[in-house]
Amino acid sequence: EGGKETLFGEIAVGGASKKKGDSSGGGAAVNLFLWRAALETLSLGPLESADPFGGVIITDWFTLEEGPGNQYRVTAYILGRSLRTDNIKIAMYVRAKEQGNMTTRRATPVAETRLENLILTQARTIRATQFK
């Protein structure tokens, strides 16, 4: 069924669909809803790369109105074909000027989980509106 969108958003990106019993390549399968939601959510910053075959989206450094003194960089990993909590992982980094020096640190797990939940909510909204 690769290459076709299903109720759960599975799609083979970038390749012809595989026939039953065909184990050759044909594009990596990612959850379409998670992919779209991650792209939409992370559009608040410029994208450095988006690889649908590996399921990885990386932003360049960006600032937010809420925290103009900090810069953020996000990597989103789409890890599976189904729309599940454990199929989206976020790595977020914060760059800030502290005592005159620029420092880069990993964001708190709470901040990363909050962003994962935003993406999941957006993915569920996309799925719900697509099948009305």
Side-chain angles (χ1 to χ4, degrees):
E1 310 230 66
K4 293 190 177 157
E5 195 172 329
T6 68
L7 179 60
F8 302 105
E10 185 178 315
I11 189 165
V13 178
S17 62
K18 289 171 45 172
K19 293 183 175 55
K20 250 187 181 166
D22 181 6
S23 62
S24 65
V30 297
N31 183 278
L32 177 64
F33 301 121
L34 282 174
W35 181 256
R36 282 184 47 198
L39 282 174
E40 288 177 15
T41 304
L42 297 177
S43 68
L44 46 90
L47 289 183
E48 185 173 289
S49 69
D51 176 13
F53 298 101
V56 178
I57 301 167
I58 304 171
T59 69
D60 201 351
W61 290 100
F62 62 93
T63 57
L64 296 172
E65 288 180 24
E66 304 88 54
N70 295 331
Q71 293 182 319
Y72 302 89
R73 182 181 184 121
V74 178
T75 302
Y77 302 94
I78 312 299
L79 303 172
R81 296 178 179 182
S82 58
L83 182 51
R84 296 180 0 183
T85 306
D86 59 347
N87 281 337
I88 179 76
K89 292 294 173 214
I90 294 294
M92 184 185 326
Y93 298 89
V94 182
R95 188 161 60 184
K97 194 172 237 178
E98 295 174 4
Q99 300 174 354
N101 298 319
M102 290 300 282
T103 60
T104 302
R105 62 178 168 75
R106 182 87 181 250
T108 65
V110 170
E112 292 176 342
T113 300
R114 191 174 295 145
L115 188 51
E116 290 169 2
N117 289 335
L118 282 171
I119 291 169
L120 275 165
T121 300
Q122 180 67 11
R124 291 179 180 130
T125 301
I126 293 168
R127 181 183 66 185
T129 57
Q130 187 150 347
F131 290 105
K132 278 191 171 183

